[in-house]
């Protein structure tokens, strides 16, 4: 497959291209939100200041906050009200989701791949990872949500900036079933984990998130202190693919790895099944309300 | 696997599911409560900032303040409703447990012993721990024992 390699665009070149492309338009707001998410002492005034820097964002936030998905039985007409009714954490999630969704607009579906499918997959992984943290570990799971939402950001970078080669790869995957990462390495010389990791580092994302994005296909490569977190993202990614929330035609990796990570996290299958049901329901609601694409 | 063993397995599974549900909802509730408290403190944060910014426009500030306090009260009520739901579920869970364990029953009079050592009639016990209702009748064997004359009369009639 050597002839299909793209020697012109090395990983570092690709990361340079990101900075001059429209992808970088989300950098400021996303970076700001991520540091608010990982800072337990963050103040609501910081959040409000951040929103004020991006005027179209306020209207979008209010539209989502008033959608029946959040069912507050209450018309929310300003950010302060949103803060009280849907909470600081949810508000941060809405903003992150809104900004990230901008990257997944447009594009034409090809061979079972589409940006919409990739976005749907990302939302699913975010919700599943967060719900595992909330319901099983009794933690807020904001970081898990962020990592789930952004874990495949490398794929959208490839789609946007190496579009022709990427669509070519998607075709190859359909004809010769293999892991996406293997296909990427033979086509580009790197995979979307590495691309995402590079972007996350350049944009100064929190360390846990860098590992979550970079190692979601091989959690063992992550730093020791983040390994369990990355395994949770791996589990959510695997299960969403299995549940039909994938975005490209690939075989699922060895199930024994999944079983091992489920054990490592001390999770029970009946508890996971209950969580998957909740997430499926949530996603169904989101799709129904047309909140999927902003 | 025998029939009753399969049945037992099924019950154990159901209890695991219910326990998971209660544990999950308990976690959700605690997190929601924390988030609510957080929202309250964030509100104070906004309030103080607002105060700094528009110190002279007191009346307007009071209006905003009143509105936000009302919001918080309303939010508090919604939380209270959620808590009721969880308590209800936890109670239901306990009842399920009571009815699914071993029941010590008297071999002769069929009374059942509860946790505090009190022996009660089976109907009393079951009604207390489940939503089943009893409707009293009498079976043919007991008719024979308790009302022999009536039993004979019935036998004669059916023979005719
Ligand atoms: Fe991935
Ligand atoms: Fe994924």
């Amino acid at each position: 497959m050597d002839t299909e390699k793209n020697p012109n665009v090395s990983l570092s070149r690709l990361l340079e291209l990101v900075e001059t492309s429209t992808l970088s338009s989300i950098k400021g707001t996303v970076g700001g939100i991520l540091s608010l998410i990982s800072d337990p002492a963050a103040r609501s005034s910081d959040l409000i200041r951040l929103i004020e820097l991006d005027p179209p964002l306020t209207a979008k936030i209010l539209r989502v906050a008033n959608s029946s998905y959040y069912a507050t039985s209450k018309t929310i007409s300003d950010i302060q009200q949103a803060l009280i009714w849907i909470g600081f954490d949810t508000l941060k999630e809405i903003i992150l989701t809104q900004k990230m969704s901008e990257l997944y607009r447009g594009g034409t579906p090809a061979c079972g791949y589409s940006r919409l499918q990739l976005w749907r997959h990302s939302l699913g992984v975010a919700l599943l990872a967060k719900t595992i943290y909330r319901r099983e570990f009794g933690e807020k799971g904001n970081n898990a949500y962020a990592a789930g939402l952004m874990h495949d950001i490398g794929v959208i970078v490839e789609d946007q900036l190496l579009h022709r080669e990427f669509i070519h790869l998607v075709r190859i995957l359909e004809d010769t079933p293999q892991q996406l990462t293997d296909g990427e390495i033979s086509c580009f010389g790197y995979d979307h984990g590495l691309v995402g990791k590079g972007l996350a580092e350049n944009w100064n994302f929190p360390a846990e998130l860098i590992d979550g994005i970079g190692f979601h296909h091989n959690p063992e490569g992550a730093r020791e202190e983040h390994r369990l977190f990355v395994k949770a993202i791996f589990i959510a990614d695997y299960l969403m693919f299995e549940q039909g929330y994938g975005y490209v035609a690939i075989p699922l990796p060895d199930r024994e790895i999944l079983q091992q990570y489920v054990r490592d996290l001390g999770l029970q299958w009946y508890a996971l099944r209950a969580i998957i049901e909740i997430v499926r329901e949530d996603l169904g609601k989101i799709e129904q309300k047309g909140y999927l694409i902003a | 696997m025998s029939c009753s063993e399969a049945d037992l397995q099924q019950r154990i599974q159901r209890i695991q599911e219910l326990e998971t549900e209660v544990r999950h909802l308990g976690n959700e509730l605690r997190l929601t409560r924390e988030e609510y408290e957080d929202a309250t403190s964030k509100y104070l944060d906004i309030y103080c900032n607002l105060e700094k910014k528009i110190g002279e426009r007191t009346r307007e500030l009071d209006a905003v303040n009143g509105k936000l306090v009302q919001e918080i009260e309303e939010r508090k009520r919604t939380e209270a409703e959620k808590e009721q739901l969880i308590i209800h579920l936890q109670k239901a869970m306990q009842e399920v447990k009571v009815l699914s364990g071993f029941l010590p029953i008297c071999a002769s009079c069929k009374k059942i012993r509860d946790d505090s050592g009190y022996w009660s009639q089976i109907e009393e016990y079951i009604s207390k721990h489940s939503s089943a209702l009893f409707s009293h009748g009498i079976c043919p064997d007991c008719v024979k024992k308790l009302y022999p004359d009536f039993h004979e009369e019935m036998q004669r009639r059916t023979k005719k």
Side-chain angles (χ1 to χ4, degrees):
Chain A
M1 231 179 272
D2 260 346
T3 51
E4 283 145 12
K5 262 195 192 168
N6 190 347
N8 298 322
V9 185
S10 64
L11 179 57
S12 54
R13 178 77 192 116
L14 180 63
L15 292 171
E16 272 171 36
L17 287 174
V18 169
E19 298 308 313
T20 51
S21 73
T22 51
L23 288 166
S24 64
S25 68
I26 65 158
K27 188 172 161 180
T29 311
V30 167
I33 277 294
L34 289 173
S35 54
L36 285 183
I37 287 177
S38 56
D39 174 13
R43 297 158 65 92
S44 50
S45 44
D46 301 333
L47 182 77
I48 290 170
R49 207 166 307 128
L50 189 74
I51 296 169
E52 279 167 354
L53 291 175
D54 188 345
L57 194 56
T58 307
K60 285 184 203 155
I61 293 168
L62 293 179
R63 190 170 64 81
V64 176
N66 280 308
S67 73
S68 50
Y69 181 70
Y70 289 100
T72 46
S73 73
K74 178 87 199 168
T75 312
I76 293 167
S77 51
D78 56 42
I79 298 295
Q80 276 92 336
Q81 252 184 335
L83 208 51
I84 290 169
W85 277 93
I86 53 181
F88 193 42
D89 294 318
T90 312
L91 205 53
K92 284 184 284 191
E93 270 173 21
I94 292 178
I95 297 168
L96 187 63
T97 312
Q98 281 295 322
K99 289 314 279 185
M100 283 301 293
S101 75
E102 291 176 12
L103 303 184
Y104 296 79
R105 284 184 199 145
T108 36
C111 306
Y113 168 84
S114 76
R115 287 184 190 166
L116 181 65
Q117 290 288 102
L118 178 57
W119 177 235
R120 194 168 160 263
H121 166 77
S122 304
L123 259 185
V125 175
L127 283 174
L128 185 52
K130 177 177 101 163
T131 313
I132 291 173
Y133 267 83
R134 286 182 76 88
R135 300 224 155 190
E136 274 297 309
F137 308 147
E139 290 173 28
K140 284 179 175 179
N142 296 136
N143 291 341
Y145 183 88
L149 200 64
M150 308 180 87
H151 76 284
D152 277 333
I153 195 169
V155 176
I156 200 74
V157 171
E158 291 169 357
D159 175 5
Q160 298 254 12
L161 302 180
L162 305 173
H163 189 69
R164 212 164 41 85
E165 295 85 346
F166 180 74
I167 294 305
H168 181 66
L169 169 63
V170 169
R171 287 217 182 90
I172 293 174
L173 290 175
E174 209 179 36
D175 298 334
T176 9
Q178 57 186 306
Q179 293 306 313
L180 174 60
T181 46
D182 294 338
E184 287 172 314
I185 286 173
S186 40
C187 278
F188 306 130
Y190 41 80
D191 65 24
H192 65 275
L194 277 172
V195 176
K197 184 168 173 280
L199 182 148
E201 281 166 350
N202 286 352
W203 291 10
N204 291 317
F205 286 176
E208 196 178 37
L209 190 58
I210 294 176
D211 278 5
I213 294 172
F215 299 101
H216 69 273
H217 289 288
N218 58 322
E220 304 300 342
R223 273 163 280 194
E224 174 84 50
E225 67 264 37
H226 302 145
R227 212 165 287 153
L228 281 179
F229 177 77
V230 182
K231 284 177 182 175
I233 305 300
F234 178 98
I235 293 171
D237 187 33
Y238 192 112
L239 292 175
M240 286 327 283
F241 255 103
E242 198 176 56
Q243 292 287 316
Y245 283 85
Y247 56 88
V248 73
I250 47 162
L252 281 168
D254 185 2
R255 208 179 159 78
E256 187 35 50
I257 301 173
L258 173 71
Q259 302 272 16
Q260 182 55 48
Y261 292 168
V262 167
R263 281 194 294 274
D264 291 347
L265 264 83
L267 295 169
Q268 300 294 334
W269 277 103
Y270 53 80
L272 266 179
R273 274 194 296 273
I275 290 171
I276 290 171
E277 261 329 291
I278 294 163
V279 171
R280 288 190 69 102
E281 236 172 71
D282 265 3
L283 277 172
K285 261 191 256 172
I286 289 175
E287 277 176 279
Q288 220 179 12
K289 307 300 173 200
Y291 160 43
L292 195 58
I293 272 295
Chain B
M1 201 188 277
S2 76
C3 186
S4 64
E5 216 177 304
D7 189 47
L8 189 67
Q9 279 305 322
Q10 214 173 23
R11 274 174 199 223
I12 290 172
Q13 201 191 329
R14 183 73 195 121
I15 289 174
Q16 279 179 337
E17 283 167 7
L18 283 168
E19 266 174 341
T20 305
E21 200 180 331
V22 170
R23 190 164 51 83
H24 283 180
L25 286 172
N27 277 338
E28 277 293 336
L29 181 70
R30 189 175 50 73
L31 288 165
T32 315
R33 206 185 286 141
E34 278 172 22
E35 281 153 15
Y36 158 69
E37 278 159 15
D38 191 52
T40 314
S41 72
K42 291 289 187 298
Y43 147 72
L44 288 173
D45 186 21
I46 299 172
Y47 179 74
C48 295
N49 255 297
L50 221 55
E51 196 165 35
K52 242 186 282 161
K53 262 194 223 162
I54 47 168
E56 68 276 16
R57 286 152 64 191
T58 335
R59 214 179 313 153
E60 201 174 314
L61 196 63
D62 276 347
V64 176
N65 183 27
K67 204 177 109 202
L68 290 181
V69 167
Q70 214 184 333
E71 304 277 350
I72 288 187
E73 283 306 315
E74 235 176 290
R75 170 102 204 229
K76 230 186 238 174
R77 262 202 303 282
T78 336
E79 298 310 321
E81 279 166 26
K82 266 192 215 158
E83 293 204 26
Q84 275 315 106
L85 182 73
I86 304 275
I87 291 166
H88 189 75
L89 263 167
Q90 273 164 345
K91 235 176 99 191
M93 186 63 217
Q94 247 151 23
E95 314 251 290
V96 171
K97 270 192 173 158
V98 167
L99 273 180
S100 56
F102 285 100
L103 290 183
I105 186 163
C106 167
S108 163
C109 73
K110 308 292 177 209
K111 273 185 186 157
I112 289 177
R113 196 187 65 217
D114 65 16
D115 290 340
S116 51
Y118 177 78
W119 291 89
S120 55
Q121 295 285 352
I122 189 161
E123 7 349 3
E124 195 188 318
Y125 186 89
I126 304 267
S127 324
K128 213 165 117 191
H129 296 290
S130 79
S131 54
L133 291 175
F134 284 87
S135 124
H136 285 92
I138 198 159
C139 73
D141 289 344
C142 292
V143 168
K144 198 166 157 188
K145 205 162 65 191
L146 295 170
Y147 307 104
D149 300 345
F150 181 66
H151 179 69
E152 252 169 61
E153 172 70 21
M154 290 295 285
Q155 292 288 94
R156 250 203 318 279
R157 273 196 208 174
T158 40
K159 263 175 206 159
K160 267 180 201 170

